[in-house]
Amino acid sequence: MVHPYLRRRAGQEKEIYPTPELEKVLRKTLGIPLFQEQVMQVAMVCAGPWRRSRIPARSHASARA
């Protein structure tokens, strides 16, 4: 993943963002996910509303068990 970033930084390759939401996450690294934190944010953006509606909130009781 580092080589595409270096090519984009040098102006040899065009930045490409599949969606505006992913552009917000990947803008600092020119559209290339370089860091684990970015990969997690990309996964959350891709899950979108499905993630929020399908995963039940954890209660304090289940967190202690």
Side-chain angles (χ1 to χ4, degrees):
M1 289 306 225
V2 174
H3 297 296
Y5 170 75
L6 294 175
R7 285 193 299 268
R8 289 179 183 193
R9 195 174 89 182
Q12 299 170 350
E13 193 174 295
K14 184 179 176 185
E15 297 174 33
I16 300 172
Y17 303 100
T19 67
E21 293 83 9
L22 289 177
E23 181 177 0
K24 292 175 187 175
V25 174
L26 300 173
R27 186 178 309 134
K28 290 182 181 179
T29 55
L30 307 174
I32 305 295
L34 292 179
F35 304 107
Q36 180 179 1
E37 183 177 314
Q38 286 177 309
V39 174
M40 292 171 30
Q41 290 175 341
V42 166
M44 289 171 43
V45 166
C46 291
W50 181 87
R51 180 182 146 272
R52 290 182 206 96
S53 65
R54 303 279 193 256
I55 300 173
R58 293 178 66 178
S59 68
H60 294 288
S62 65
R64 292 182 193 140

